[in-house]
Amino acid sequence: MTVADIVFVEGELDADQLTRLQGFLVDPLLQTGSWNVPAGDGVEVTFLPGVTDTSAGALLHAAEQLGVPVTAAATGRRIEFGDDVDDEAAERIVRRVVANPVIERWSAGTVEPTFHAESTATGVAEIVPIIGKSTDELLTIGVERALALDPEELLAVQRHFTEAGREPTDVELETLAQTWSEHCAHKTFRAVISTDDGEDRPSLIAMLRNCTDAIDAPFVRSAFVGNAGIIGFEGDTTYALKAETHNHPSAVEPFGGANTGVGGVIRDVLGIAHRPIAVTDILCFGPPDTPLSEVPDGALHPLRIRDGVIDGVADYGNKIGLPTVAGAVLYDAGYTTNPLVFAGCIGVAEGWQLHDGPHPGDRVVVLGGRTGRDGIRGATFSSLTMDATTGEVAGASVQIGDPIVEKLLIDVLADADDLYTQITDCGAGGLSSAVGEMAEGVGADVELELVPLKYAGLEPWEIWLSEAQERMVVAVDPSKLADLQDRCDYYGVELADIGEFTGDGVLTVRSGGTPVLELTTDFLHDGRPQRQMTAAMPTPVRDAWIGREVDDPRATLLALLSHLNIASKADTIHRYDHEILGATAVRPLVGALADAPADGVVLAEPTDEVGIAIGIGVNPWWGLHDPEAMAYGAVDEAMRNVVAVGADPDRVALLDNFSWGDPRRESTLGELVAAVEGCCAASMAYRAPFVSGKDSLNNEYTGADGKRHAVPPTLVITAVAHVPDADVCVTPVLAQPGNALVLLGTTQREFAGSHLDLLLGEPDEVGTVPAPDPDAPVRYRNLHQAILEGLVWSCHDVSEGGLAVALAEMCIAGRFGAEITDLPHDDLTTSLFSESQSRLIVEVSPGDLDRFRDVMHEDVLVLGHVTEGDDLVLPGLDPLDVEDLADAFSRTEDGS
Amino acid sequence: MSPPPALVIAGPGTNRDRDLALALELAGADPTIVMSTELVDHPELLDDAKLLAVAGGFSYGDALGAGRLLALDLNVRIGDALREFVASGRPVIGICNGFQVLTRTKLLPGALGHNAHGRFECRWVVLEPQPRSRCLWTKGIEQPIHCPIAHGEGRYVHPDPDALAEAGQIALTYRSTNPNGSVADIAGVCNAAGNVLGLMPHPENFVVGRQHPHARQGSGLDHLGLRLFQNGVAAAAEM
C-alpha cells in the first residue's frame, strides 16, 4: 500500500506558476511530485465540507508569497493498493483503517475536493412553539432537538415563556439546553440526593467544597470558582490547576477528540489568566487484543481509538509547546466502547488577582479562531448516552484543533491581564456559554453578524452554539481595545468586537440587528430547577481478609510486570515532548537506561530553586468492589507519588475527575456518592484540599443489540505539591549497593480489585479492597523530613502489583540487584502482591538507619539491601535477573 | 564588555524560543525574541544583532512540510538580508524547526525528512562534536554533548555526506543510537564558512546541571549543551 499527499488548487495558473508551486511543495531530496491526474487504481480521501483543513490555508499563504494566483485550495491523501487487494477490500480498509467517515469522505479513482464550503443561511431564528404543549410533547421536542433536558426542566422553560407571553426561538432553546446540560451545569453534583442509608448529605459539590473550606489551607487562592483552581505556595507565584475529560468526542473521532480535549483544558488555564506550563493525560482504553467481533456495531476498535487518541494528545501538546509530563494508560473491557480521555493543564502567573469584570460598558471581544459548523451541541452530546448511531449523527459534534492558533493566543494573553477585565474560554456551548457565563448579573448585547466565520451560511443558532476551537472571550474596557488590537496584530491573532456588556441583566443576541435571543441572565443561570435524585448506596465487604494462592511467584511477578496496566508506557511517553520549557526535573521515565517509571514528576524553572510535583491516583478496579475505599486510595496514591519525589505533604492541592455511568440509575449514583465520601475523608485526613474538579457522567453505550456497556467507576485524582528544593528530588533509582531497603506501612490480605486478580481472575469471594491507613499522614510528613535531611537515596511507592513489582521497578531503574531477606507478612503471596495502601520502599544507607528510624517515629521493616549483582533475590525463590525483569516490563503496549 | 545582542526568530508556531533565549542569556548574550512577521517588515533589526538564532517548534504547524512556510516567508521577504548577515561571518544557529528552516532557505546544505520510524520522538541523545568540523559553535568541545531530541522530521538527507565531511561541515553526529535514520549519523551541519550551525537536538534544554536525567547521580555536568552557546556568543562578542 502506498500513500501520497494530494493538494488541490483552484485558479488559472500557467506552466511557470505551476513549476514555482511545485518547487515549494516538493523537495527533490525527499519527495517526488506531479500535477498529472494519476491513472492507476487508487482511493482518494479528503475532508468533508466544513471540516477545517489547515494545510489548505497554508497552501494559500504559500501561493500568495510566491505570487501564484490560487483562488482556493484543499488537501487529501491518495492510497494505492497492490494487485492482491480487490475493490471491495480496498473500500473496507479505507473505511476501517485509513479514513474516518465522521470527518472525511473518499472515492475510488479521484475525489472531487471541496473548495468552497459556503452555503446560504436565512439569518433568522426559528420560532419553536412550546406554550400549551403537554409534557410528552415537550419531551418529543427535546428528543428531536437533542436538548438532553429533564421533564422538570422542559416545564420550567415552558413556564418561563408562558409568563413572558411569547414562544422561544431555536437560539433560546439551544442556549438553555447547553447552559443547563449535565456537562455545563453539573446537575448531578448539584442535585438534592436522597439515599437509602438514611444519612442526610449536602450536594456532592458542597461535600467537596466543605472539606476545602474546613481545611482552610493558606496556599489555596481560589477553589471551585471559574475555569481552574488557583494555588500559591511561595511569594507572588500562583499555579492554575485544571483537569477535564473529552470522552464522547474521543470515542467518535479519537484524534480530534483527544486533540481538542488538550486544547480545551489549556484554554481553561488561559481563561484564568495563567500561562500554561504543562499538560497531563490519563487514558483508558479497551484491551488492544479485543476481537473485532466483540466491538459493537457503530463503535471503533480499541486499537484504533488508542492510536488516534495518543496521536491527538501528542499533536496538540507537542505543537503548542507544552510538556506532556504526567499520566497513565489503563486498559479494561469496560472502556471498549467508552474510552476515557482525561487531560489536565497547569499554568503559572506572578501577582495574579481575580479579575472583577465585566463592567457595564466593557466590550464583548472574541479572540482567536474563526467560527464554523464544528462541534455544535457538544455539551448536550456529552450529556447523552451513546448508541450505535452516535457516530453518524454526532459528526457535527466533532471539533478539529489548531494548536498553532492557540499557541498564538497564549502569546497574546499571557502577561497581558491588564488589558481585560474578565476572561473565559469558549468551550462546551461555544459563545452561548462563554458570553452567557460572563454576562451573569450584568447582561450583554451582541451581534452575531460581527462574529468572524470560516465560511458563510451559518444560521444564528449555529454561530452562537458552535464549539469551533481556539477561541477566547474577553471583556475589554473601550480604552484598552486599541492596545489589545496591537498585541493581536503582532501575533497574527484575529480580534472581533461583537457587542457590549450592558448592566441591565439581560442577555440579548441579535442577527442583523433583530433579536434572536432575549433572556435575563437570572433565568439562564438560576432558572433550572434543582434536580432531585435517589441513590442506592453500595454495601462493600470490609471485614473479609481473604488470601490468594499463587503456584509460581516468579512467573507471577514477570506476568504482572507485563500486565498492560503495569508494563512500561515508554512507547507513549516518547511520543510526547516532555522536555520543552526545560523545567522537567523529574521525568516520567527515570533510571540508568531511562526505562523505569517515576512516581511523580517534578517541574522547576531551570533557574528556580523551588518546583512543583505532580502525582496521579486512579484505580477503577477497586471501585467495582468499594467505591469509597477506591476514592480514598486514589487520593493516597496521588499523595504517595508527590511525597516520594520530595514534595511537602503539607502543601498539596487536589483535583478530582469522575467518569461514571448514568447517575439516574440509583446504584450508579450510590457509587458516586460513596466515592465523593472517600474523597472527602482522604482530603480531610491529609489536609489536602480539592481546588477544582469535573465530572463526566453518562459514560455508557447502548449497542445495536440493546445491551448497555458502562465504564467502571473511574476517578482520577491529580495532586500538585510544593517541592522546596528541586535539586534534591528523589526517584526510584537504586543508587548504592549495600544500602538498606526499608518498607514503610502495613501489608494486609487485601486483594479485591488487585492486579493479581486481574491477572489470575477473581475468586468467588474477593474479600476486601485495601483500607485507608490512619497513620499515613504522619508517615508522609516524617518521610518528607527524612528526605530533607538527606537520608533517602531512592524511594518508590508501592501500588499496582504490590511490593514485588515495586522492588522490580527499583532494580530496573538502578540496574542494581536487591537481596530481600524479610517480608512484611507471613503469607508470601500477600507480602509480594497485596496492594495495601500507604506503603513506600525507601533506600537508606546502613549508617543512617538509626537516624531514619528516629525520624519515622514508627516501626519500619528492613526488607534487605541493594546489591552489586544482577539479580532480585526474594526469600525462598530462585533469583530473578534484572534484565529479565526489564524485558518483562518493557514489552510493547500492543501486547506483542 | 556588554553582552552581545542576539536575535531569536519565532514564526507562528515556534515554541522553543524562550528556551533558546534563556540558553543564549546564560551563555552571556542579550537575546530578543522577534516574530518573523515583524522581522520581515523590519529587516533593519538584523543590523543590530551580532548573533541570529532560529528557534524550534512547529512553525505553521508543519503544514506542507516542516519549516517550509517560514523559510518561504523569510526567503521572499528578507532573503538577501539574511544572506548578508551570514556573509558577514556573524554566528547563526537553527535548532530543530530552525534547522529545517535553514536548509529550506539554502543557508545550510541537505534536507530533513520524516524520521525513519515514522513517528515524533522525544528522548535524550549523546552528540559527538566532530573535531574536523569548521563550525565555530562546536570548536574546542571535546566532551560529548547530552541533550534531548523532540522531532518527527529529523532524518538528515544529503546526496554526498563524504564530501560534506571532507569540507568540515559535519559538526555533530549521534554517538548514541541514530534516532531518526539520518545519513552518516549526522545530527548537525554547518555552512562552508563554519558560522551557521543547524542541528535537530535541543542543547538549549541542557543549560543547567539539574536538567540532566542523571543529575541526581552526579552525572552530566561535563556534557552541558550550554557549551555550544558559549562558543557562539564568544564569536559574536568578537564581531
Side-chain angles (χ1 to χ4, degrees):
Chain A
M1 183 171 115
T2 60
V3 182
D5 294 324
I6 316 171
V7 298
F8 302 98
V9 293
E10 182 194 71
E12 296 293 324
L13 309 187
D14 61 29
D16 170 61
Q17 288 165 334
L18 283 175
T19 305
R20 235 184 301 160
L21 208 49
Q22 178 161 353
F24 167 75
L25 290 166
V26 180
D27 187 325
L29 284 177
L30 304 170
Q31 298 156 299
T32 58
S34 162
W35 287 114
N36 298 326
V37 176
D41 287 341
V43 179
E44 293 187 358
V45 184
T46 189
F47 287 117
L48 286 167
V51 175
T52 309
D53 182 349
T54 47
S55 292
L59 190 63
L60 288 174
H61 175 85
E64 190 185 340
Q65 289 284 28
L66 291 163
V68 176
V70 172
T71 51
T75 65
R77 286 168 294 161
R78 178 179 176 83
I79 298 99
E80 293 185 0
F81 297 94
D83 293 338
D84 50 337
V85 178
D86 61 28
D87 289 354
E88 200 186 319
E91 156 75 20
R92 207 166 55 239
I93 293 170
V94 169
R95 183 209 313 277
R96 301 210 78 143
V97 184
V98 178
N100 186 342
V102 173
I103 54 167
E104 290 172 318
R105 61 197 170 83
W106 59 91
S107 64
T110 56
V111 74
E112 274 303 307
T114 308
F115 283 132
H116 303 278
E118 292 87 355
S119 56
T120 310
T122 64
V124 299
E126 181 194 340
I127 302 295
V128 184
I130 60 166
I131 296 174
K133 303 273 188 197
S134 70
T135 308
D136 281 349
E137 286 168 326
L138 290 177
L139 281 169
T140 305
I141 293 170
V143 170
E144 279 168 4
R145 293 182 174 267
L147 299 179
L149 292 175
D150 294 346
E152 298 75 29
E153 292 161 349
L154 288 164
L155 288 168
V157 172
Q158 188 186 46
R159 218 161 29 243
H160 175 83
F161 284 98
T162 306
E163 282 164 20
R166 69 175 176 90
E167 299 284 5
T169 65
D170 55 353
V171 182
E172 287 170 325
L173 274 188
E174 298 278 358
T175 300
L176 287 164
Q178 297 292 323
T179 310
W180 293 6
S181 67
E182 181 68 62
H183 187 93
C184 291
H186 303 282
K187 296 188 262 209
T188 301
F189 265 64
R190 295 196 166 113
V192 176
I193 298 175
S194 36
T195 52
D196 59 357
D197 64 0
E199 273 185 53
D200 283 337
R201 295 175 179 80
S203 68
L204 299 177
I205 185 78
M207 285 167 67
L208 290 163
R209 277 184 181 161
N210 290 349
C211 295
T212 301
D213 290 346
I215 294 166
D216 195 22
F219 56 82
V220 174
R221 298 283 302 275
S222 167
F224 297 109
V225 179
N227 281 326
I230 310 287
I231 57 173
F233 295 120
E234 281 200 349
D236 272 352
T237 305
T238 52
Y239 297 97
L241 319 178
K242 182 60 180 276
E244 270 277 13
T245 49
H246 226 214
N247 302 336
H248 285 196
S250 303
V252 178
E253 211 293 271
F255 179 92
N259 198 247
T260 55
V262 173
V265 80
I266 293 171
R267 282 198 307 282
D268 277 330
V269 162
L270 198 52
I272 197 146
H274 280 60
R275 174 186 279 277
I277 55 168
V279 172
T280 63
D281 69 327
I282 293 88
L283 312 174
C284 305
F285 305 118
D289 57 358
T290 305
L292 208 50
S293 58
E294 286 179 21
V295 178
D297 282 349
L300 298 174
H301 189 272
L303 260 184
R304 180 137 194 226
I305 293 178
R306 187 193 70 185
D307 291 351
V309 164
I310 290 170
D311 277 351
V313 173
D315 180 81
Y316 214 98
N318 293 346
K319 285 185 175 169
I320 202 165
L322 293 175
T324 303
V325 285
V329 187
L330 311 181
Y331 296 91
D332 188 274
Y335 301 125
T336 299
T337 46
N338 274 282
L340 303 181
V341 175
F342 299 84
C345 182
I346 298 174
V348 69
E350 298 295 329
W352 172 84
Q353 295 291 334
L354 197 60
H355 283 89
D356 63 354
H359 308 125
D362 285 351
R363 305 302 302 170
V364 182
V365 173
V366 184
L367 301 176
R370 293 188 155 219
T371 298
R373 204 171 270 124
D374 31 6
I376 283 173
R377 291 178 173 148
T380 49
F381 167 50
S382 65
S383 304
L384 294 163
T385 57
M386 298 190 289
D387 63 29
T389 63
T390 297
E392 292 160 37
V393 300
S397 291
V398 173
Q399 310 114 342
I400 304 294
D402 186 346
I404 304 310
V405 173
E406 193 151 307
K407 163 76 170 76
L408 295 166
L409 265 176
I410 294 175
D411 290 332
V412 165
L413 290 167
D415 313 319
D417 54 349
D418 55 329
L419 295 183
Y420 50 84
T421 64
Q422 194 51 267
I423 179 168
T424 195
D425 80 304
C426 259
L431 290 172
S432 78
S433 80
V435 178
E437 275 172 31
M438 237 190 215
E440 187 171 359
V442 181
D445 192 334
V446 300
E447 171 56 67
L448 294 177
E449 284 190 353
L450 297 173
V451 176
L453 301 182
K454 291 177 180 174
Y455 35 81
L458 272 67
E459 295 295 354
W461 74 271
E462 293 179 303
I463 299 172
W464 187 236
L465 271 296
S466 164
E467 294 179 11
Q469 296 292 293
E470 288 91 27
R471 299 177 303 164
M472 302 291 294
V473 178
V474 285
V476 182
D477 186 284
S479 68
K480 299 283 179 68
L481 202 55
D483 284 350
L484 185 61
Q485 182 73 61
D486 283 350
R487 261 187 100 82
C488 287
D489 290 346
Y490 179 81
Y491 289 107
V493 167
E494 196 159 12
L495 177 153
D497 176 355
I498 65 165
E500 184 182 63
F501 290 101
T502 52
D504 63 5
V506 177
L507 179 62
T508 305
V509 178
R510 299 171 192 274
S511 175
T514 309
V516 292
L517 177 151
E518 275 185 296
L519 293 170
T520 63
T521 63
D522 285 349
F523 178 68
L524 185 58
H525 294 287
D526 302 323
R528 184 180 62 81
Q530 193 175 21
R531 194 182 252 185
Q532 309 277 334
M533 304 181 80
T534 310
M537 297 300 289
T539 50
V541 175
R542 296 252 171 92
D543 55 0
W545 293 273
I546 297 168
R548 297 289 187 270
E549 296 291 327
V550 167
D551 296 335
D552 181 349
R554 293 173 80 251
T556 302
L557 170 55
L558 292 170
L560 278 170
L561 285 169
S562 294
H563 188 279
L564 280 170
N565 292 332
I566 294 173
S568 171
K569 304 300 180 294
D571 284 355
T572 302
I573 293 168
H574 286 300
R575 302 287 311 283
Y576 302 151
D577 188 345
H578 43 268
E579 300 288 345
I580 190 162
L581 306 183
T584 317
V586 174
R587 297 167 172 78
L589 292 172
V590 294
L593 302 181
D595 59 355
D599 288 321
V601 294
V602 175
L603 300 175
E605 287 282 311
T607 50
D608 281 358
E609 183 185 348
V610 302
I612 54 169
I614 308 166
I616 306 281
V618 55
N619 198 338
W621 300 282
W622 294 12
L624 292 171
H625 303 286
D626 188 340
E628 186 179 354
M630 175 273 277
Y632 198 103
V635 173
D636 189 73
E637 185 183 8
M639 290 292 299
R640 287 199 307 275
N641 281 339
V642 296
V643 171
V645 292
D648 179 353
D650 286 316
R651 285 191 271 182
V652 183
L654 301 174
L655 303 178
D656 61 85
N657 284 85
F658 295 86
S659 280
W660 234 252
D662 187 343
R664 281 164 295 196
R665 194 170 41 251
E666 295 184 1
S667 59
T668 303
L669 183 60
E671 289 161 8
L672 185 60
V673 173
V676 171
E677 290 196 323
C679 285
C680 289
S683 172
M684 293 304 291
Y686 290 108
R687 313 299 288 177
F690 284 97
V691 295
S692 174
K694 201 78 193 260
D695 51 284
S696 163
L697 309 177
N698 307 307
N699 288 289
E700 301 202 358
Y701 184 98
T702 309
D705 56 358
K707 265 174 75 177
R708 197 174 58 78
H709 308 259
V711 294
T714 307
L715 166 65
V716 172
I717 298 290
T718 307
V720 177
H722 179 65
V723 174
D725 185 349
D727 283 333
V728 296
C729 293
V730 181
T731 63
V733 187
L734 290 183
Q736 183 70 41
N739 277 351
L741 290 169
V742 182
L743 177 67
L744 310 181
T746 51
T747 305
Q748 309 272 8
R749 279 195 177 92
E750 298 169 317
F751 283 101
S754 66
H755 278 70
L756 188 66
D757 277 5
L758 288 182
L759 187 69
L760 303 178
E762 276 184 356
D764 291 339
E765 276 192 273
V766 295
T768 65
V769 162
D773 181 345
D775 297 329
V778 175
R779 178 175 310 138
Y780 298 166
R781 210 166 281 142
N782 293 340
L783 174 59
H784 182 61
Q785 181 60 34
I787 289 172
L788 291 180
E789 289 190 23
L791 302 174
V792 176
W793 289 63
S794 68
C795 178
H796 194 22
D797 94 299
V798 179
S799 55
E800 292 88 352
L803 180 69
V805 165
L807 285 168
E809 289 173 345
M810 294 179 85
C811 290
I812 294 168
R815 283 305 196 275
F816 282 122
E819 185 167 351
I820 304 305
T821 47
D822 282 289
L823 289 172
H825 199 279
D826 299 340
D827 173 49
L828 181 67
T829 305
T830 303
S831 286
L832 295 183
F833 304 120
S834 162
E835 295 181 7
S836 292
Q837 296 189 34
S838 310
R839 297 180 301 159
L840 299 114
I841 304 169
V842 183
E843 180 188 353
V844 181
S845 133
D848 289 336
L849 262 180
D850 288 342
R851 174 65 195 150
F852 183 73
R853 285 196 175 94
D854 285 349
V855 174
M856 289 311 299
H857 287 299
E858 67 172 351
D859 286 340
V860 301
L861 174 70
V862 177
L863 296 163
H865 62 278
V866 184
T867 65
E868 194 80 63
D870 304 323
D871 294 323
L872 170 61
V873 183
L874 296 166
L877 303 179
D878 288 339
L880 288 135
D881 190 305
V882 174
E883 290 308 324
D884 290 342
L885 299 174
D887 283 350
F889 179 70
S890 58
R891 62 174 249 168
T892 69
E893 290 169 46
D894 284 335
S896 55
Chain B
M1 196 177 66
S2 62
L7 206 56
V8 177
I9 301 179
T14 295
N15 58 28
R16 265 187 167 85
D17 42 335
R18 288 156 63 100
D19 306 34
L20 182 50
L22 176 67
L24 288 166
E25 189 182 327
L26 292 176
D30 175 18
T32 305
I33 297 169
V34 62
M35 282 293 288
S36 59
T37 42
E38 181 83 357
L39 181 64
V40 296
D41 285 340
H42 299 280
E44 69 276 9
L45 289 169
L46 289 171
D47 299 343
D48 298 330
K50 291 192 168 179
L51 184 155
L52 187 63
V54 190
F58 288 83
S59 56
Y60 291 97
D62 276 1
L64 305 176
R68 291 187 186 189
L69 280 158
L70 180 55
L72 182 68
D73 286 353
L74 296 175
N75 241 351
V76 168
R77 300 287 308 280
I78 56 166
D80 290 340
L82 286 176
R83 283 182 283 276
E84 275 170 37
F85 191 98
V86 169
S88 74
R90 284 173 282 180
V92 177
I93 191 168
I95 301 176
C96 197
N97 196 236
F99 185 18
Q100 292 157 344
V101 168
L102 291 182
T103 59
R104 286 292 295 189
T105 51
K106 302 292 173 206
L107 292 172
L108 286 174
L112 292 147
H114 285 277
N115 292 349
H117 54 61
R119 294 184 308 276
F120 178 96
E121 186 178 36
C122 175
R123 66 167 70 241
W124 277 64
V125 295
V126 178
L127 304 177
E128 185 84 56
Q130 292 300 302
R132 291 180 49 207
S133 171
R134 305 170 55 87
C135 180
L136 66 83
W137 293 85
T138 53
K139 205 169 82 183
I141 301 179
E142 287 168 5
Q143 291 285 343
I145 293 207
H146 296 184
C147 65
I149 55 162
H151 60 247
E153 297 182 41
R155 178 174 51 90
Y156 185 70
V157 177
H158 190 281
D160 191 355
D162 290 340
L164 212 52
E166 197 61 34
Q169 288 185 252
I170 300 178
L172 295 158
T173 55
Y174 295 105
R175 182 183 164 118
S176 52
T177 308
N178 182 339
N180 49 29
S182 290
V183 65
D185 296 336
I186 292 171
V189 296
C190 64
N191 61 343
N195 63 321
V196 182
L197 170 66
L199 73 167
M200 287 311 297
H202 291 286
E204 74 273 31
N205 283 138
F206 185 31
V207 293
V208 298
R210 183 171 72 206
Q211 291 171 320
H212 195 281
H214 300 156
R216 240 192 86 67
Q217 284 74 42
S219 308
L221 273 181
D222 293 339
H223 307 286
L224 276 173
L226 187 64
R227 294 287 311 278
L228 286 172
F229 301 101
Q230 288 167 334
N231 270 347
V233 173
E238 286 170 17
M239 297 304 299

